[in-house]
Amino acid sequence: MPAAEPDVLDVVVVGAGFSGLYLLHRLREQGLTVQVLESAEGLGGTWYWNRYPGARCDVDAVEYGFSFSKELDDTWEWDERFATQGRILEYLNHVADTFDLRRDIRFGTRVAAATWDDDSARWTVRTEAGDVYRARYTIMATGCLSVPKQPDIPGLDSFAGPVYFTSSWPHREIDFTGRRVGVIGTGSSAVQAIPLIAAQAAHLTVFQRTPNWVVPAHNRELTDADRTAEVLAGRRRSGLDCPLGLAHEFSEANLAEAKNLSPEDRRAELERLWERGGLTMILAFADLLIDQEAGRTAAAFVAEKIRARVHDPATAEKLIPSGYPFGAKRLCVDTNYFEAYNRDTVDLVDLRATPIETITPHGLRLSDGEVEFDDLVMATGFDAMTGALTAVDIRGRGRVALADKWSDGPRTYLGLSVAGFPNLFTMTGPGSPSVLSNMRVSIEQHVDWIAACIRYLDERGMRSIEASPAAEEDWVRHVAEVGEPTVFSQGNSWYVGANVPGKPRVFMPYIGGVPLYRETCADVAAQGYRGFQLTPA
Ligand code: N01
């Protein structure tokens, strides 16, 4: 039952990244009218904004590309194991060309508010420019890491030189040749950017508050053998069986608890995964994210690798994380990160020993004096998972604001739906595997689920669907219960909102893993959308 009124769309989608693009294609195929609203002047979401030197996806490119279209497989070739930001953006533009998506995307359009009207069962979506769209459904495809964290260091405005945020890098090449550069932050973005900036700059000072566990990428050129249809299909199948949504051949060690393995077997497995490169290091042992001893084994192994790569022992010790378990913060994946510190022109400042007092016109004043530089790079992260959702004034039944409902932390059913907010879907929202998985896998699953859900409702003439308060309550409890015993509750990470001052501390993603979560969502649908309230027209 697509909308009968000409001025009412079936669906407004907010965001034109991976999620928004596939939603548009899939829902349009289903005969629905869809308008995508995108704040940027181009498509790509995170890959539009994060153009800092060295930006790449640390999921294997052949697994990161969409899996839903043979036409895409036949017309696109990834060149490297880990694709650059530029290549991914080219890919997404190719996707848009292939399915003629741009005609239904309005760029340069930031959504300010979305309000549900119960009488008409319609969403009114307002843009910052004052344009209004009415739709039966609103789908937030706004990304999990898209709202930069507000700078929380005093004096930023006083800095005399250029300031670059990794999360909104200029659309031109920045040449650091001959410059003295300061980088604040040592998360994934900084770990990728630092080796390239270090290679160019006259001098680089890295300001590190918390060292991260960093594992190697072992990036390489792909060959034809890496890209055959058979390989692609095999990797995609394997990804669906893996909790992280990543292709992985599980060894005996991966399925065993570390304490049941000999030290030699543990070491051999860690070496194997280290040599393989990438995020699957976290799968080394079945209890790696639960058992402290298992975590310590992995930590000791990686610490040894850091000591071997960094020439100056004092610098190496500063780069080795302490005080939180392996995996509690998102692993970083590197190419030449530690080697950057072997350059005479690179210094590492440990902010735990000498905290920042203020940014000054010429650098940073620390507790023990001032460090000067010409250019400042802020690699300080994002208001993750909820930031982009609460940035829009979303009001559900009774005009309740989503930001108010979530004042103590996000509450969803399946990470997809919120009680009191009918016909609103949150793509890869809090309470779904999202950032703990290959995002492409989770995005495709959510798009397919939402599309099937709308079809089901339309076939039965339903006017609305929303999570029941009881199902939401149960799901929130379940997400917390499975997260609580893991290492994730022990790090000051963005997973728990600890990086944003004042943000409620809640472990936001669902750690149940991709296969179990998919099965749960499929069961819910098969049982007539169990846990949802469906309202007939
Ligand atoms: O951000 P982060 P990111 N004073 O939050 C520091 C994904 N991603 O942009 O840890 C001093 O990880 C902060 O220190 P601390 C990926 O999921 C993917 O790097 O809060 N320092 C930390 O070191 C990733 O996890 C890819 O003590 C301050 C850094 O800034 C996520 O995005 C590439 C500070 C922020 O690190 C976010 O990564 C890039 C302050 N006031 C990102 N405030 C790929 O797929 C913050 N920091 C490759």
Side-chain angles (χ1 to χ4, degrees), residues 113-119 122-124 138 392-405 418-424 466:
T115 309
W116 171 254
D117 173 43
D118 218 19
D119 294 335
R122 301 283 182 259
W123 281 96
T124 301
T138 294
V392 176
D393 184 12
I394 301 176
R395 301 211 171 230
R397 208 185 285 289
R399 298 214 151 222
V400 171
L402 185 70
D404 289 340
K405 169 159 177 160
V418 183
F421 293 76
N423 290 9
L424 174 78
E466 72 184 278

Side-chain angles (χ1 to χ4, degrees), residues 238 241-243 246 248-255 272 283:
S238 169
D241 289 337
C242 168
L246 297 169
H248 185 69
E249 270 178 49
F250 281 84
S251 66
E252 277 182 34
N254 302 155
L255 301 171
R272 183 181 82 89
L283 298 170

Side-chain angles (χ1 to χ4, degrees), residues 56 58 149 152 186 188-189 192 209-210 329-330 381 494:
R56 286 176 189 272
D58 48 22
K149 187 182 99 147
D152 54 359
T186 49
S188 294
S189 303
Q192 291 186 329
R209 188 164 65 183
T210 315
K329 287 162 88 87
R330 161 70 147 69
W494 56 257

Side-chain angles (χ1 to χ4, degrees), residues 47 52 56-58 145 149 152-153 166 184-190 192 207 209-210 212 329-330 351 356 379-382 492 494 499:
W47 300 110
Y52 57 85
R56 286 176 189 272
C57 179
D58 48 22
L145 293 153
K149 187 182 99 147
D152 54 359
I153 305 171
T166 49
I184 301 180
T186 49
S188 294
S189 303
Q192 291 186 329
F207 298 93
R209 188 164 65 183
T210 315
N212 266 290
K329 287 162 88 87
R330 161 70 147 69
L351 295 177
I356 299 175
T380 43
F382 300 87
N492 284 325
W494 56 257
N499 64 328

Side-chain angles (χ1 to χ4, degrees), residues 307-356:
R307 290 188 186 105
R309 289 173 68 183
V310 178
H311 298 163
D312 174 42
T315 304
E317 292 312 310
K318 281 192 220 168
L319 287 164
I320 295 171
S322 61
Y324 72 93
F326 183 82
K329 287 162 88 87
R330 161 70 147 69
L331 286 191
C332 300
V333 180
D334 93 290
T335 300
N336 299 328
Y337 174 63
F338 292 111
E339 288 70 17
Y341 294 96
N342 294 334
R343 291 174 181 269
D344 294 338
T345 51
V346 177
D347 289 333
L348 176 66
V349 170
D350 177 1
L351 295 177
R352 288 175 304 184
T354 53
I356 299 175

Side-chain angles (χ1 to χ4, degrees), residues 16 21 33 48-49 133 243 284 294 298 358 361 385 389 391 447 485:
L21 296 178
T33 54
Y48 176 88
W49 294 106
Y133 295 84
T358 185
M385 302 209 71
L389 295 169
V447 172

